[in-house]
Amino acid sequence: MSSSQREERSALQEITPAFTPAVAAEFIGMFLVTFLSAACAANAADNGLAAAALGTGFAFAMITYSTVHISGGHLNPAITAAYMAVGANGFTVREGISYMLAQFTGAITGAFLIKSILPIEALVHPFVTLGSLSDKHGEQVFILEFISTLILGLVTFATVVDRERNMADNAAPLAVGLAYTVGMFAEGPYTGGSMNPARTLGPAIAFGDLSHVWYYFLATFLGGITSGFLYKYALGVETETEADTERGTEAKRFA
């Protein structure tokens, strides 16, 4: 095998999806949070926004607690894209592609399952991530989703990724769940409260309506990636102090 062939093979291996326990955790986790959050959203038609916001937040917190030690508890392609963009904790492109495939597949599977078992009356208001602004005000939806996903990403990087400096410790998954809850309360009536491309795509495919998916994808992926760069380059690196230098201690740096 020539050197060029070896290089091509190596490059291909770097982007070829792999099935690992972490990838399995992302599939199962995304399946469960989609199933649970969709059920909560269906209940919101009768019980109000709190049912969707609190239910979604609790679901993400619970499943993140269950997967963070295996896969990092991304459960969101936008967060995975942020990890890839800044190489957080040594995260690779291959891992990112594998995670995203698992997340999207899990969300689609979860959406179809919950749709198939909910009573007809619960589906009068589909559990898709659409709101009052979705049909005619795409630019406003973009801004709301971008900012909410940006906040979610910053919370994730501050509590889950930045292992050296964070104050959350074992409460990190709870902080992530709260970010989803606050986002749902803030933007839910207007956009459906996505903050997660998989949460948008799964129900959209289940209900056969992909008309608005593209700007949710654009907003959430850009929001997630922006949060990664913002945290790493604006918030995530401590400068070395003279005292540290004298003691021979390196400043803590972004993980």
Side-chain angles (χ1 to χ4, degrees), residues 42-249:
N43 284 325
D46 295 324
N47 299 305
L49 177 61
L54 292 174
T56 297
F58 286 144
F60 271 98
M62 177 181 67
I63 304 303
T64 302
Y65 266 118
S66 303
T67 59
V68 69
H69 62 294
I70 303 172
S71 66
H74 294 200
L75 306 176
N76 187 334
I79 299 301
T80 296
Y83 270 68
M84 290 171 59
V86 300
N89 296 337
F91 201 75
T92 66
V93 172
R94 186 183 190 190
E95 287 175 313
I97 294 172
S98 303
Y99 273 37
M100 287 187 191
L101 287 174
Q103 291 157 353
F104 281 121
T105 305
I108 293 168
T109 306
F112 271 106
L113 180 60
I114 189 63
K115 182 188 176 186
S116 69
I117 63 178
L118 284 177
I120 296 298
E121 56 270 21
L123 299 176
V124 173
H125 301 284
F127 50 79
V128 291
T129 55
L130 296 174
S132 61
L133 297 177
S134 297
D135 286 331
K136 298 181 180 179
H137 302 280
E139 68 283 356
Q140 292 168 284
V141 171
F142 175 88
I143 294 171
L144 285 167
E145 285 293 334
F146 175 85
I147 293 175
S148 295
T149 310
L150 174 69
I151 293 170
L152 171 65
L154 288 174
V155 170
T156 301
F157 272 78
T159 60
V160 178
V161 180
D162 195 348
R163 299 168 181 170
E164 292 291 332
R165 301 184 302 159
N166 83 76
M167 302 297 291
D169 292 329
N170 292 333
L174 181 60
V176 172
L178 286 173
Y180 275 106
T181 296
V182 173
M184 289 283 289
F185 273 122
E187 65 166 355
Y190 311 114
T191 71
S194 173
M195 297 168 279
N196 187 325
R199 285 191 67 236
T200 291
L201 185 64
I205 290 179
F207 284 94
D209 183 7
L210 299 174
S211 56
H212 304 288
V213 165
W214 71 270
Y215 52 77
Y216 281 86
F217 266 42
L218 187 62
T220 53
F221 272 116
L222 283 178
I225 292 170
T226 301
S227 73
F229 281 106
L230 182 61
Y231 193 88
K232 180 172 183 177
Y233 294 108
L235 305 173
V237 178
E238 293 183 358
T239 57
E240 191 175 37
T241 65
E242 292 182 5
D244 287 332
T245 303
E246 290 175 1
R247 291 192 301 265
T249 303

